[in-house]
Amino acid sequence: MKKLDILVIAAHPDDAELGCSGTIAAHIARGYKVGIVDLTQGEMGTRGTPELRLKEADDAAKILGLSARENMGFKDVLFLDDESHQLDLIKVIRKYQPDIVLANAIRDRHPDHGKGASLATHACFMSGLRKIETTYEGEKQDAWRPKFVYHYIQNNYIEPDFVFDITDFWDIKVKSILAFQSQFHDPESNEPESFISNPEFLPFIEARAREMGHRILTKYGEGFTVERMIGSQNLFDLK
């Protein structure tokens, strides 16, 4: 078992990179151990193949310096926030014992994002219930509940509860996104255009980051919503 400080749960490969890879890179640079669990292989996407997207996810993991990345193999579009999927995700949460979980946006253009957010929320809570018994590699797992669950903002604008400054890590964020070459604009590609392969999509990602950064008087930022009120014991810790 490799304990992580932060576990990012993403419905699709590239969700984490698009939504919160600047925050991931910043914490890895500070010595924290961060991993990503992709729920699906994105096999229902317009472009690419599951095999290619797994390779791209591995490439992005190397760029970010992740301590772990795995794919749950849930059915893209068809997975549910139900008992079976919750129990599978609980095993992963207990395996990595993260203090913080970053999960999909609570609502978004793609229904899988809100569904993934709900699944992560329920699994994180249920993971702390000792009467829910799970095993990993034949051994009984201890109950574990992350201290915080935050939701990164994706396509649809959601008013953030806080914004994380990613200015110093913008270049790493861009590189991790571009690891998913099959998904974004390529004038040489013969595959049909998708929502995110439109040439205006990546400029939108930068515009959103600039907008979030502007809210905290910095160049680039990533916005998050919270499940419960967060606090501080030192006002000088706030930007």
Side-chain angles (χ1 to χ4, degrees), residues 52-126:
L52 178 55
R53 296 194 74 174
L54 286 174
K55 180 186 180 302
E56 291 172 338
D58 186 58
D59 291 341
K62 291 183 174 71
I63 291 168
L64 291 171
L66 298 179
S67 294
R69 186 169 202 158
E70 62 179 90
N71 195 293
M72 299 293 292
F74 294 165
K75 291 183 177 180
D76 190 17
V77 179
L78 299 175
F79 78 88
L80 299 172
D81 177 13
D82 62 6
E83 180 180 353
S84 174
H85 292 83
Q86 290 161 1
L87 289 173
D88 284 344
L89 191 52
I90 286 169
K91 292 178 184 178
V92 174
I93 293 167
R94 289 177 173 178
K95 171 184 173 182
Y96 291 117
Q97 298 184 349
D99 297 304
I100 295 173
V101 165
L102 306 180
N104 284 102
I106 54 174
R107 61 182 182 276
D108 207 39
R109 172 185 175 272
H110 196 309
D112 277 3
H113 297 167
K115 190 166 45 176
S118 176
L119 174 58
T121 292
H122 292 144
C124 284
F125 181 84
M126 295 165 66

Side-chain angles (χ1 to χ4, degrees), residues 22-218:
T23 301
I24 291 171
H27 285 84
I28 290 173
R30 292 167 186 164
Y32 293 102
K33 292 181 172 59
V34 184
I36 296 176
V37 171
D38 299 306
L39 300 182
T40 77
Q41 296 178 12
E43 66 271 17
M44 298 295 284
T46 302
R47 297 160 69 101
T49 65
E51 295 77 17
L52 178 55
R53 296 194 74 174
L54 286 174
K55 180 186 180 302
E56 291 172 338
D58 186 58
D59 291 341
K62 291 183 174 71
I63 291 168
L64 291 171
L66 298 179
S67 294
R69 186 169 202 158
E70 62 179 90
N71 195 293
M72 299 293 292
F74 294 165
K75 291 183 177 180
D76 190 17
V77 179
L78 299 175
F79 78 88
L80 299 172
D81 177 13
D82 62 6
E83 180 180 353
S84 174
H85 292 83
Q86 290 161 1
L87 289 173
D88 284 344
L89 191 52
I90 286 169
K91 292 178 184 178
V92 174
I93 293 167
R94 289 177 173 178
K95 171 184 173 182
Y96 291 117
Q97 298 184 349
D99 297 304
I100 295 173
V101 165
L102 306 180
N104 284 102
I106 54 174
R107 61 182 182 276
D108 207 39
R109 172 185 175 272
H110 196 309
D112 277 3
H113 297 167
K115 190 166 45 176
S118 176
L119 174 58
T121 292
H122 292 144
C124 284
F125 181 84
M126 295 165 66
S127 181
L129 301 177
R130 62 183 180 84
K131 291 186 177 179
I132 293 180
E133 297 185 359
T134 58
T135 60
Y136 177 70
E137 294 185 344
E139 294 188 7
K140 182 178 178 181
Q141 293 181 297
D142 294 329
W144 181 270
R145 182 173 296 147
K147 295 176 183 176
F148 302 100
V149 179
Y150 302 133
H151 296 272
Y152 45 92
I153 294 169
Q154 298 184 256
N155 183 75
N156 290 3
Y157 181 80
I158 298 175
E159 183 69 12
D161 292 317
F162 70 90
V163 174
F164 189 87
D165 181 3
I166 64 165
T167 303
D168 292 340
F169 300 92
W170 173 250
D171 289 344
I172 296 178
K173 178 182 177 78
V174 171
K175 288 177 182 176
S176 73
I177 291 172
L178 294 180
F180 294 89
Q181 297 177 15
S182 68
Q183 299 303 299
F184 300 109
H185 180 64
D186 177 3
E188 304 298 319
S189 175
N190 293 320
E191 291 194 273
E193 185 175 287
S194 69
F195 180 77
I196 67 173
S197 73
N198 184 291
E200 297 303 316
F201 183 76
L202 290 178
F204 157 74
I205 293 298
E206 180 172 1
R208 170 62 57 78
R210 285 181 176 273
E211 175 185 35
M212 291 296 177
H214 181 72
R215 301 288 296 274
I216 58 170
L217 304 180
T218 193

